[in-house]
Amino acid sequence: MPAAGRPDKLRLGVLASGRGSNLQAIIDAIEAGSLQAEIALVLSNKQDAVALERASKHRIDAVFLDPKPFKDRPDFREAYDRAILEVLTKHGVELIVLAGYMKIVTPVLIKAYENRMMNIHPSLLPSFPGLDVQNKALDWGVKISGCTVHFVTEGVDEGPIIIQAAVPVLDGATADALAARILEQ
């Protein structure tokens, strides 16, 4: 949130790899006036990400940054994140939101946006970091799952927790059904 008395809004950069449902929730909150920010940029590593379409529909700069040209480099991940950093800087991004971004970010981005990069994760961290978390939750037989927003650090899904929402796991739940209920939060 912008500092008190600050005339402009906090400039967000949203990194997304998929359908952009969390991006849409952020857009909706901004348009409703409950979030005092503006999305300066939506960037994706996937050319067909629906998140890019959502951004364009709302007249938000949408950028596909192709990771393929970086694949042959020994420092592939860092080189790609340096390219992302250039785009973020060009757009004046102050805070990064990883909203369904399916890549692990490197220290290149983490250090440049220390304590200014947040991730939305579909489990109650520290339980079930990484991928396929609803199946993990069901396999373990948990009775409560949920989602977490946390600051990004160099450990995968290990950063300080900002907020969490709990979702009861219903009897006979499938991973897809649980994921849909968590997404609502």
Side-chain angles (χ1 to χ4, degrees):
M1 197 169 291
R6 181 176 163 176
D8 54 336
K9 296 178 179 180
L10 181 66
R11 292 180 58 80
L12 304 178
V14 178
L15 277 56
S17 297
R19 64 184 180 249
S21 49
N22 286 317
L23 166 64
Q24 188 63 56
I26 295 166
I27 291 169
D28 293 347
I30 290 170
E31 290 178 354
S34 60
L35 178 59
Q36 298 303 308
E38 66 178 307
I39 301 173
L41 165 76
V42 173
L43 185 143
S44 182
N45 61 314
K46 303 282 186 185
Q47 188 170 14
D48 60 350
V50 176
L52 295 174
E53 294 174 28
R54 288 182 193 264
S56 294
K57 182 178 176 183
H58 290 272
R59 295 184 178 91
I60 299 167
D61 283 347
V63 173
F64 162 61
L65 185 59
D66 191 353
K68 287 180 186 146
F70 300 88
K71 291 276 188 199
D72 293 334
R73 296 181 57 159
D75 64 340
F76 157 68
R77 291 175 56 226
E78 291 81 6
Y80 185 70
D81 278 0
R82 280 192 292 278
I84 291 173
L85 185 55
E86 276 184 44
V87 176
L88 295 171
T89 301
K90 178 182 169 188
H91 284 81
V93 169
E94 299 170 290
L95 176 76
I96 298 173
V97 178
L98 305 178
Y101 186 60
M102 302 307 289
K103 291 184 72 61
I104 295 173
V105 296
T106 68
V108 168
L109 277 180
I110 294 167
K111 288 177 182 170
Y113 280 89
E114 188 171 7
N115 297 318
R116 296 183 301 130
M117 184 183 314
M118 300 173 1
N119 183 41
I120 302 167
H121 184 75
S123 79
L124 292 175
L125 293 174
S127 296
F128 313 119
L131 300 173
D132 200 29
V133 297
Q134 283 79 31
N135 278 321
K136 290 176 186 174
L138 293 173
D139 289 348
W140 275 92
V142 299
K143 301 301 178 197
I144 298 175
S145 188
C147 53
T148 303
V149 176
H150 66 94
F151 286 110
V152 176
T153 60
E154 291 187 34
V156 175
D157 296 326
E158 291 181 359
I161 292 169
I162 299 166
I163 192 168
Q164 293 180 306
V167 174
V169 178
L170 304 177
D171 289 340
T174 65
D176 288 342
L178 180 57
R181 293 182 61 241
I182 291 170
L183 187 58
E184 292 174 13
Q185 297 302 312

PDB file of all heavy atoms in Angstrom, residues 101-135:
ATOM      1  N   TYR A 101       2.593 -18.263 -10.860  1.00  0.00           N
ATOM      2  CA  TYR A 101       3.827 -18.246 -11.657  1.00  0.00           C
ATOM      3  C   TYR A 101       4.554 -19.547 -11.371  1.00  0.00           C
ATOM      4  O   TYR A 101       4.980 -19.805 -10.254  1.00  0.00           O
ATOM      5  CB  TYR A 101       4.686 -17.041 -11.284  1.00  0.00           C
ATOM      6  CG  TYR A 101       5.901 -16.856 -12.149  1.00  0.00           C
ATOM      7  CD1 TYR A 101       5.776 -16.653 -13.511  1.00  0.00           C
ATOM      8  CD2 TYR A 101       7.175 -16.867 -11.594  1.00  0.00           C
ATOM      9  CE1 TYR A 101       6.898 -16.459 -14.316  1.00  0.00           C
ATOM     10  CE2 TYR A 101       8.299 -16.668 -12.390  1.00  0.00           C
ATOM     11  CZ  TYR A 101       8.147 -16.466 -13.739  1.00  0.00           C
ATOM     12  OH  TYR A 101       9.259 -16.271 -14.537  1.00  0.00           O
ATOM     13  N   MET A 102       4.695 -20.380 -12.386  1.00  0.00           N
ATOM     14  CA  MET A 102       5.180 -21.737 -12.199  1.00  0.00           C
ATOM     15  C   MET A 102       6.675 -21.883 -12.465  1.00  0.00           C
ATOM     16  O   MET A 102       7.116 -22.857 -13.060  1.00  0.00           O
ATOM     17  CB  MET A 102       4.372 -22.701 -13.067  1.00  0.00           C
ATOM     18  CG  MET A 102       2.872 -22.672 -12.778  1.00  0.00           C
ATOM     19  SD  MET A 102       2.453 -22.911 -11.048  1.00  0.00           S
ATOM     20  CE  MET A 102       2.848 -24.627 -10.853  1.00  0.00           C
ATOM     21  N   LYS A 103       7.437 -20.918 -12.022  1.00  0.00           N
ATOM     22  CA  LYS A 103       8.894 -20.992 -12.102  1.00  0.00           C
ATOM     23  C   LYS A 103       9.455 -20.573 -10.751  1.00  0.00           C
ATOM     24  O   LYS A 103       8.898 -19.700 -10.095  1.00  0.00           O
ATOM     25  CB  LYS A 103       9.435 -20.048 -13.178  1.00  0.00           C
ATOM     26  CG  LYS A 103       9.104 -20.467 -14.598  1.00  0.00           C
ATOM     27  CD  LYS A 103       9.737 -19.549 -15.622  1.00  0.00           C
ATOM     28  CE  LYS A 103      11.208 -19.691 -15.768  1.00  0.00           C
ATOM     29  NZ  LYS A 103      11.743 -20.982 -16.185  1.00  0.00           N
ATOM     30  N   ILE A 104      10.549 -21.199 -10.383  1.00  0.00           N
ATOM     31  CA  ILE A 104      11.238 -20.782  -9.162  1.00  0.00           C
ATOM     32  C   ILE A 104      12.103 -19.578  -9.520  1.00  0.00           C
ATOM     33  O   ILE A 104      12.906 -19.638 -10.452  1.00  0.00           O
ATOM     34  CB  ILE A 104      12.091 -21.933  -8.598  1.00  0.00           C
ATOM     35  CG1 ILE A 104      11.161 -23.076  -8.166  1.00  0.00           C
ATOM     36  CG2 ILE A 104      12.955 -21.442  -7.441  1.00  0.00           C
ATOM     37  CD1 ILE A 104      11.895 -24.332  -7.747  1.00  0.00           C
ATOM     38  N   VAL A 105      11.907 -18.489  -8.793  1.00  0.00           N
ATOM     39  CA  VAL A 105      12.706 -17.293  -9.067  1.00  0.00           C
ATOM     40  C   VAL A 105      14.066 -17.411  -8.392  1.00  0.00           C
ATOM     41  O   VAL A 105      14.216 -18.081  -7.378  1.00  0.00           O
ATOM     42  CB  VAL A 105      11.970 -16.002  -8.643  1.00  0.00           C
ATOM     43  CG1 VAL A 105      10.707 -15.790  -9.464  1.00  0.00           C
ATOM     44  CG2 VAL A 105      11.654 -16.007  -7.168  1.00  0.00           C
ATOM     45  N   THR A 106      15.031 -16.746  -8.985  1.00  0.00           N
ATOM     46  CA  THR A 106      16.404 -16.816  -8.499  1.00  0.00           C
ATOM     47  C   THR A 106      16.726 -15.618  -7.609  1.00  0.00           C
ATOM     48  O   THR A 106      15.963 -14.641  -7.565  1.00  0.00           O
ATOM     49  CB  THR A 106      17.388 -16.832  -9.684  1.00  0.00           C
ATOM     50  OG1 THR A 106      17.343 -15.557 -10.326  1.00  0.00           O
ATOM     51  CG2 THR A 106      17.064 -17.952 -10.673  1.00  0.00           C
ATOM     52  N   PRO A 107      17.880 -15.666  -6.948  1.00  0.00           N
ATOM     53  CA  PRO A 107      18.296 -14.518  -6.143  1.00  0.00           C
ATOM     54  C   PRO A 107      18.390 -13.208  -6.936  1.00  0.00           C
ATOM     55  O   PRO A 107      18.318 -12.131  -6.342  1.00  0.00           O
ATOM     56  CB  PRO A 107      19.676 -14.947  -5.610  1.00  0.00           C
ATOM     57  CG  PRO A 107      19.566 -16.440  -5.517  1.00  0.00           C
ATOM     58  CD  PRO A 107      18.763 -16.829  -6.733  1.00  0.00           C
ATOM     59  N   VAL A 108      18.525 -13.292  -8.249  1.00  0.00           N
ATOM     60  CA  VAL A 108      18.557 -12.069  -9.071  1.00  0.00           C
ATOM     61  C   VAL A 108      17.318 -11.227  -8.793  1.00  0.00           C
ATOM     62  O   VAL A 108      17.410 -10.027  -8.535  1.00  0.00           O
ATOM     63  CB  VAL A 108      18.665 -12.425 -10.574  1.00  0.00           C
ATOM     64  CG1 VAL A 108      18.403 -11.213 -11.455  1.00  0.00           C
ATOM     65  CG2 VAL A 108      20.007 -13.053 -10.897  1.00  0.00           C
ATOM     66  N   LEU A 109      16.145 -11.845  -8.846  1.00  0.00           N
ATOM     67  CA  LEU A 109      14.892 -11.123  -8.577  1.00  0.00           C
ATOM     68  C   LEU A 109      14.660 -10.935  -7.088  1.00  0.00           C
ATOM     69  O   LEU A 109      14.207  -9.878  -6.650  1.00  0.00           O
ATOM     70  CB  LEU A 109      13.698 -11.870  -9.170  1.00  0.00           C
ATOM     71  CG  LEU A 109      13.394 -11.650 -10.639  1.00  0.00           C
ATOM     72  CD1 LEU A 109      12.175 -12.458 -11.062  1.00  0.00           C
ATOM     73  CD2 LEU A 109      13.186 -10.198 -10.955  1.00  0.00           C
ATOM     74  N   ILE A 110      14.952 -11.969  -6.321  1.00  0.00           N
ATOM     75  CA  ILE A 110      14.676 -11.916  -4.879  1.00  0.00           C
ATOM     76  C   ILE A 110      15.435 -10.775  -4.218  1.00  0.00           C
ATOM     77  O   ILE A 110      14.877 -10.023  -3.420  1.00  0.00           O
ATOM     78  CB  ILE A 110      14.997 -13.272  -4.218  1.00  0.00           C
ATOM     79  CG1 ILE A 110      14.028 -14.339  -4.747  1.00  0.00           C
ATOM     80  CG2 ILE A 110      14.913 -13.176  -2.697  1.00  0.00           C
ATOM     81  CD1 ILE A 110      14.419 -15.762  -4.417  1.00  0.00           C
ATOM     82  N   LYS A 111      16.704 -10.612  -4.565  1.00  0.00           N
ATOM     83  CA  LYS A 111      17.504  -9.536  -3.958  1.00  0.00           C
ATOM     84  C   LYS A 111      17.067  -8.164  -4.455  1.00  0.00           C
ATOM     85  O   LYS A 111      17.044  -7.200  -3.691  1.00  0.00           O
ATOM     86  CB  LYS A 111      18.984  -9.779  -4.213  1.00  0.00           C
ATOM     87  CG  LYS A 111      19.514 -10.943  -3.393  1.00  0.00           C
ATOM     88  CD  LYS A 111      20.956 -11.252  -3.678  1.00  0.00           C
ATOM     89  CE  LYS A 111      21.379 -12.458  -2.841  1.00  0.00           C
ATOM     90  NZ  LYS A 111      22.675 -12.975  -3.225  1.00  0.00           N
ATOM     91  N   ALA A 112      16.712  -8.068  -5.731  1.00  0.00           N
ATOM     92  CA  ALA A 112      16.272  -6.783  -6.284  1.00  0.00           C
ATOM     93  C   ALA A 112      14.943  -6.342  -5.670  1.00  0.00           C
ATOM     94  O   ALA A 112      14.681  -5.141  -5.559  1.00  0.00           O
ATOM     95  CB  ALA A 112      16.145  -6.876  -7.804  1.00  0.00           C
ATOM     96  N   TYR A 113      14.104  -7.303  -5.278  1.00  0.00           N
ATOM     97  CA  TYR A 113      12.787  -7.003  -4.708  1.00  0.00           C
ATOM     98  C   TYR A 113      12.641  -7.596  -3.304  1.00  0.00           C
ATOM     99  O   TYR A 113      11.573  -8.074  -2.942  1.00  0.00           O
ATOM    100  CB  TYR A 113      11.688  -7.518  -5.637  1.00  0.00           C
ATOM    101  CG  TYR A 113      11.443  -6.586  -6.803  1.00  0.00           C
ATOM    102  CD1 TYR A 113      12.159  -6.727  -7.982  1.00  0.00           C
ATOM    103  CD2 TYR A 113      10.530  -5.541  -6.709  1.00  0.00           C
ATOM    104  CE1 TYR A 113      11.966  -5.859  -9.042  1.00  0.00           C
ATOM    105  CE2 TYR A 113      10.328  -4.671  -7.762  1.00  0.00           C
ATOM    106  CZ  TYR A 113      11.045  -4.832  -8.919  1.00  0.00           C
ATOM    107  OH  TYR A 113      10.847  -3.959  -9.971  1.00  0.00           O
ATOM    108  N   GLU A 114      13.712  -7.522  -2.529  1.00  0.00           N
ATOM    109  CA  GLU A 114      13.684  -8.079  -1.180  1.00  0.00           C
ATOM    110  C   GLU A 114      12.559  -7.447  -0.361  1.00  0.00           C
ATOM    111  O   GLU A 114      12.420  -6.223  -0.319  1.00  0.00           O
ATOM    112  CB  GLU A 114      15.025  -7.841  -0.483  1.00  0.00           C
ATOM    113  CG  GLU A 114      15.136  -8.547   0.837  1.00  0.00           C
ATOM    114  CD  GLU A 114      16.544  -8.490   1.405  1.00  0.00           C
ATOM    115  OE1 GLU A 114      17.403  -7.799   0.837  1.00  0.00           O
ATOM    116  OE2 GLU A 114      16.764  -9.137   2.428  1.00  0.00           O
ATOM    117  N   ASN A 115      11.739  -8.305   0.237  1.00  0.00           N
ATOM    118  CA  ASN A 115      10.570  -7.895   1.012  1.00  0.00           C
ATOM    119  C   ASN A 115       9.544  -7.125   0.177  1.00  0.00           C
ATOM    120  O   ASN A 115       8.679  -6.445   0.714  1.00  0.00           O
ATOM    121  CB  ASN A 115      10.960  -7.069   2.239  1.00  0.00           C
ATOM    122  CG  ASN A 115      11.800  -7.858   3.205  1.00  0.00           C
ATOM    123  OD1 ASN A 115      11.519  -9.031   3.466  1.00  0.00           O
ATOM    124  ND2 ASN A 115      12.851  -7.251   3.703  1.00  0.00           N
ATOM    125  N   ARG A 116       9.657  -7.248  -1.156  1.00  0.00           N
ATOM    126  CA  ARG A 116       8.713  -6.599  -2.069  1.00  0.00           C
ATOM    127  C   ARG A 116       8.269  -7.583  -3.158  1.00  0.00           C
ATOM    128  O   ARG A 116       7.905  -7.186  -4.250  1.00  0.00           O
ATOM    129  CB  ARG A 116       9.330  -5.349  -2.706  1.00  0.00           C
ATOM    130  CG  ARG A 116       9.664  -4.262  -1.697  1.00  0.00           C
ATOM    131  CD  ARG A 116      10.206  -3.002  -2.331  1.00  0.00           C
ATOM    132  NE  ARG A 116      11.431  -3.255  -3.092  1.00  0.00           N
ATOM    133  CZ  ARG A 116      11.631  -2.839  -4.343  1.00  0.00           C
ATOM    134  NH1 ARG A 116      10.716  -2.158  -4.990  1.00  0.00           N
ATOM    135  NH2 ARG A 116      12.764  -3.105  -4.964  1.00  0.00           N
ATOM    136  N   MET A 117       8.287  -8.869  -2.817  1.00  0.00           N
ATOM    137  CA  MET A 117       7.820  -9.910  -3.727  1.00  0.00           C
ATOM    138  C   MET A 117       6.974 -10.888  -2.912  1.00  0.00           C
ATOM    139  O   MET A 117       7.433 -11.442  -1.914  1.00  0.00           O
ATOM    140  CB  MET A 117       8.986 -10.655  -4.374  1.00  0.00           C
ATOM    141  CG  MET A 117       8.531 -11.676  -5.411  1.00  0.00           C
ATOM    142  SD  MET A 117       9.857 -12.668  -6.149  1.00  0.00           S
ATOM    143  CE  MET A 117      11.091 -11.476  -6.546  1.00  0.00           C
ATOM    144  N   MET A 118       5.729 -11.049  -3.351  1.00  0.00           N
ATOM    145  CA  MET A 118       4.793 -11.908  -2.636  1.00  0.00           C
ATOM    146  C   MET A 118       4.351 -13.047  -3.541  1.00  0.00           C
ATOM    147  O   MET A 118       4.253 -12.872  -4.756  1.00  0.00           O
ATOM    148  CB  MET A 118       3.571 -11.095  -2.185  1.00  0.00           C
ATOM    149  CG  MET A 118       3.962  -9.963  -1.270  1.00  0.00           C
ATOM    150  SD  MET A 118       2.696  -8.753  -0.771  1.00  0.00           S
ATOM    151  CE  MET A 118       1.211  -9.227  -1.487  1.00  0.00           C
ATOM    152  N   ASN A 119       4.087 -14.186  -2.920  1.00  0.00           N
ATOM    153  CA  ASN A 119       3.612 -15.360  -3.646  1.00  0.00           C
ATOM    154  C   ASN A 119       2.272 -15.785  -3.059  1.00  0.00           C
ATOM    155  O   ASN A 119       2.056 -15.690  -1.858  1.00  0.00           O
ATOM    156  CB  ASN A 119       4.614 -16.510  -3.532  1.00  0.00           C
ATOM    157  CG  ASN A 119       4.192 -17.722  -4.336  1.00  0.00           C
ATOM    158  OD1 ASN A 119       3.714 -17.610  -5.455  1.00  0.00           O
ATOM    159  ND2 ASN A 119       4.362 -18.900  -3.754  1.00  0.00           N
ATOM    160  N   ILE A 120       1.394 -16.265  -3.935  1.00  0.00           N
ATOM    161  CA  ILE A 120       0.127 -16.847  -3.517  1.00  0.00           C
ATOM    162  C   ILE A 120       0.276 -18.359  -3.694  1.00  0.00           C
ATOM    163  O   ILE A 120       0.508 -18.830  -4.803  1.00  0.00           O
ATOM    164  CB  ILE A 120      -1.032 -16.306  -4.378  1.00  0.00           C
ATOM    165  CG1 ILE A 120      -1.091 -14.783  -4.281  1.00  0.00           C
ATOM    166  CG2 ILE A 120      -2.347 -16.955  -3.956  1.00  0.00           C
ATOM    167  CD1 ILE A 120      -1.982 -14.133  -5.326  1.00  0.00           C
ATOM    168  N   HIS A 121       0.168 -19.091  -2.587  1.00  0.00           N
ATOM    169  CA  HIS A 121       0.400 -20.547  -2.622  1.00  0.00           C
ATOM    170  C   HIS A 121      -0.847 -21.280  -2.127  1.00  0.00           C
ATOM    171  O   HIS A 121      -1.418 -20.908  -1.095  1.00  0.00           O
ATOM    172  CB  HIS A 121       1.602 -20.909  -1.744  1.00  0.00           C
ATOM    173  CG  HIS A 121       1.952 -22.352  -1.815  1.00  0.00           C
ATOM    174  ND1 HIS A 121       2.588 -22.912  -2.895  1.00  0.00           N
ATOM    175  CD2 HIS A 121       1.722 -23.367  -0.943  1.00  0.00           C
ATOM    176  CE1 HIS A 121       2.746 -24.210  -2.687  1.00  0.00           C
ATOM    177  NE2 HIS A 121       2.235 -24.505  -1.506  1.00  0.00           N
ATOM    178  N   PRO A 122      -1.267 -22.346  -2.821  1.00  0.00           N
ATOM    179  CA  PRO A 122      -2.517 -23.023  -2.477  1.00  0.00           C
ATOM    180  C   PRO A 122      -2.413 -24.089  -1.400  1.00  0.00           C
ATOM    181  O   PRO A 122      -2.929 -25.196  -1.536  1.00  0.00           O
ATOM    182  CB  PRO A 122      -2.948 -23.623  -3.822  1.00  0.00           C
ATOM    183  CG  PRO A 122      -1.654 -23.956  -4.488  1.00  0.00           C
ATOM    184  CD  PRO A 122      -0.715 -22.839  -4.089  1.00  0.00           C
ATOM    185  N   SER A 123      -1.714 -23.766  -0.306  1.00  0.00           N
ATOM    186  CA  SER A 123      -1.734 -24.632   0.881  1.00  0.00           C
ATOM    187  C   SER A 123      -1.459 -23.759   2.093  1.00  0.00           C
ATOM    188  O   SER A 123      -1.071 -22.596   1.959  1.00  0.00           O
ATOM    189  CB  SER A 123      -0.684 -25.751   0.786  1.00  0.00           C
ATOM    190  OG  SER A 123       0.606 -25.283   1.107  1.00  0.00           O
ATOM    191  N   LEU A 124      -1.673 -24.329   3.257  1.00  0.00           N
ATOM    192  CA  LEU A 124      -1.353 -23.631   4.494  1.00  0.00           C
ATOM    193  C   LEU A 124       0.110 -23.914   4.815  1.00  0.00           C
ATOM    194  O   LEU A 124       0.434 -24.922   5.441  1.00  0.00           O
ATOM    195  CB  LEU A 124      -2.262 -24.101   5.640  1.00  0.00           C
ATOM    196  CG  LEU A 124      -3.738 -23.727   5.517  1.00  0.00           C
ATOM    197  CD1 LEU A 124      -4.542 -24.357   6.647  1.00  0.00           C
ATOM    198  CD2 LEU A 124      -3.916 -22.222   5.511  1.00  0.00           C
ATOM    199  N   LEU A 125       0.968 -23.049   4.322  1.00  0.00           N
ATOM    200  CA  LEU A 125       2.395 -23.231   4.577  1.00  0.00           C
ATOM    201  C   LEU A 125       2.658 -23.141   6.064  1.00  0.00           C
ATOM    202  O   LEU A 125       1.947 -22.428   6.770  1.00  0.00           O
ATOM    203  CB  LEU A 125       3.192 -22.163   3.814  1.00  0.00           C
ATOM    204  CG  LEU A 125       3.150 -22.295   2.293  1.00  0.00           C
ATOM    205  CD1 LEU A 125       3.846 -21.106   1.641  1.00  0.00           C
ATOM    206  CD2 LEU A 125       3.779 -23.597   1.819  1.00  0.00           C
ATOM    207  N   PRO A 126       3.604 -23.869   6.592  1.00  0.00           N
ATOM    208  CA  PRO A 126       4.674 -24.558   5.890  1.00  0.00           C
ATOM    209  C   PRO A 126       4.307 -25.948   5.371  1.00  0.00           C
ATOM    210  O   PRO A 126       5.148 -26.632   4.790  1.00  0.00           O
ATOM    211  CB  PRO A 126       5.780 -24.651   6.931  1.00  0.00           C
ATOM    212  CG  PRO A 126       5.062 -24.723   8.234  1.00  0.00           C
ATOM    213  CD  PRO A 126       3.827 -23.862   8.049  1.00  0.00           C
ATOM    214  N   SER A 127       3.057 -26.355   5.521  1.00  0.00           N
ATOM    215  CA  SER A 127       2.661 -27.660   4.985  1.00  0.00           C
ATOM    216  C   SER A 127       2.539 -27.602   3.468  1.00  0.00           C
ATOM    217  O   SER A 127       1.989 -26.648   2.927  1.00  0.00           O
ATOM    218  CB  SER A 127       1.300 -28.082   5.556  1.00  0.00           C
ATOM    219  OG  SER A 127       1.383 -28.254   6.945  1.00  0.00           O
ATOM    220  N   PHE A 128       3.044 -28.595   2.813  1.00  0.00           N
ATOM    221  CA  PHE A 128       2.885 -28.819   1.381  1.00  0.00           C
ATOM    222  C   PHE A 128       3.413 -27.695   0.491  1.00  0.00           C
ATOM    223  O   PHE A 128       2.672 -27.109  -0.296  1.00  0.00           O
ATOM    224  CB  PHE A 128       1.423 -29.142   1.042  1.00  0.00           C
ATOM    225  CG  PHE A 128       0.824 -30.168   1.963  1.00  0.00           C
ATOM    226  CD1 PHE A 128      -0.274 -29.866   2.751  1.00  0.00           C
ATOM    227  CD2 PHE A 128       1.388 -31.436   2.069  1.00  0.00           C
ATOM    228  CE1 PHE A 128      -0.805 -30.808   3.622  1.00  0.00           C
ATOM    229  CE2 PHE A 128       0.856 -32.383   2.935  1.00  0.00           C
ATOM    230  CZ  PHE A 128      -0.247 -32.068   3.714  1.00  0.00           C
ATOM    231  N   PRO A 129       4.691 -27.403   0.580  1.00  0.00           N
ATOM    232  CA  PRO A 129       5.286 -26.471  -0.383  1.00  0.00           C
ATOM    233  C   PRO A 129       5.395 -27.145  -1.747  1.00  0.00           C
ATOM    234  O   PRO A 129       5.213 -28.364  -1.864  1.00  0.00           O
ATOM    235  CB  PRO A 129       6.673 -26.204   0.211  1.00  0.00           C
ATOM    236  CG  PRO A 129       6.991 -27.442   0.979  1.00  0.00           C
ATOM    237  CD  PRO A 129       5.671 -27.938   1.520  1.00  0.00           C
ATOM    238  N   GLY A 130       5.679 -26.362  -2.748  1.00  0.00           N
ATOM    239  CA  GLY A 130       5.909 -26.918  -4.080  1.00  0.00           C
ATOM    240  C   GLY A 130       4.642 -27.137  -4.865  1.00  0.00           C
ATOM    241  O   GLY A 130       3.673 -26.393  -4.739  1.00  0.00           O
ATOM    242  N   LEU A 131       4.648 -28.203  -5.667  1.00  0.00           N
ATOM    243  CA  LEU A 131       3.559 -28.488  -6.602  1.00  0.00           C
ATOM    244  C   LEU A 131       2.656 -29.609  -6.102  1.00  0.00           C
ATOM    245  O   LEU A 131       3.007 -30.319  -5.161  1.00  0.00           O
ATOM    246  CB  LEU A 131       4.149 -28.885  -7.961  1.00  0.00           C
ATOM    247  CG  LEU A 131       5.037 -27.851  -8.643  1.00  0.00           C
ATOM    248  CD1 LEU A 131       5.689 -28.438  -9.889  1.00  0.00           C
ATOM    249  CD2 LEU A 131       4.260 -26.591  -8.971  1.00  0.00           C
ATOM    250  N   ASP A 132       1.502 -29.761  -6.754  1.00  0.00           N
ATOM    251  CA  ASP A 132       0.577 -30.871  -6.513  1.00  0.00           C
ATOM    252  C   ASP A 132       0.107 -30.918  -5.063  1.00  0.00           C
ATOM    253  O   ASP A 132      -0.044 -31.987  -4.471  1.00  0.00           O
ATOM    254  CB  ASP A 132       1.235 -32.194  -6.929  1.00  0.00           C
ATOM    255  CG  ASP A 132       0.230 -33.299  -7.168  1.00  0.00           C
ATOM    256  OD1 ASP A 132      -0.913 -32.999  -7.547  1.00  0.00           O
ATOM    257  OD2 ASP A 132       0.599 -34.479  -6.962  1.00  0.00           O
ATOM    258  N   VAL A 133      -0.139 -29.746  -4.490  1.00  0.00           N
ATOM    259  CA  VAL A 133      -0.375 -29.655  -3.047  1.00  0.00           C
ATOM    260  C   VAL A 133      -1.717 -30.213  -2.604  1.00  0.00           C
ATOM    261  O   VAL A 133      -1.817 -30.742  -1.493  1.00  0.00           O
ATOM    262  CB  VAL A 133      -0.176 -28.210  -2.546  1.00  0.00           C
ATOM    263  CG1 VAL A 133       1.256 -27.773  -2.754  1.00  0.00           C
ATOM    264  CG2 VAL A 133      -1.122 -27.242  -3.207  1.00  0.00           C
ATOM    265  N   GLN A 134      -2.764 -30.135  -3.438  1.00  0.00           N
ATOM    266  CA  GLN A 134      -4.046 -30.690  -3.012  1.00  0.00           C
ATOM    267  C   GLN A 134      -3.973 -32.215  -2.926  1.00  0.00           C
ATOM    268  O   GLN A 134      -4.518 -32.801  -1.988  1.00  0.00           O
ATOM    269  CB  GLN A 134      -5.188 -30.254  -3.950  1.00  0.00           C
ATOM    270  CG  GLN A 134      -5.648 -28.831  -3.711  1.00  0.00           C
ATOM    271  CD  GLN A 134      -4.717 -27.810  -4.327  1.00  0.00           C
ATOM    272  OE1 GLN A 134      -4.091 -28.066  -5.341  1.00  0.00           O
ATOM    273  NE2 GLN A 134      -4.607 -26.650  -3.710  1.00  0.00           N
ATOM    274  N   ASN A 135      -3.303 -32.843  -3.874  1.00  0.00           N
ATOM    275  CA  ASN A 135      -3.120 -34.298  -3.781  1.00  0.00           C
ATOM    276  C   ASN A 135      -2.316 -34.663  -2.541  1.00  0.00           C
ATOM    277  O   ASN A 135      -2.635 -35.646  -1.860  1.00  0.00           O
ATOM    278  CB  ASN A 135      -2.456 -34.854  -5.042  1.00  0.00           C
ATOM    279  CG  ASN A 135      -3.449 -35.065  -6.159  1.00  0.00           C
ATOM    280  OD1 ASN A 135      -4.575 -35.501  -5.928  1.00  0.00           O
ATOM    281  ND2 ASN A 135      -3.049 -34.753  -7.381  1.00  0.00           N
TER     282      ASN A 135
END
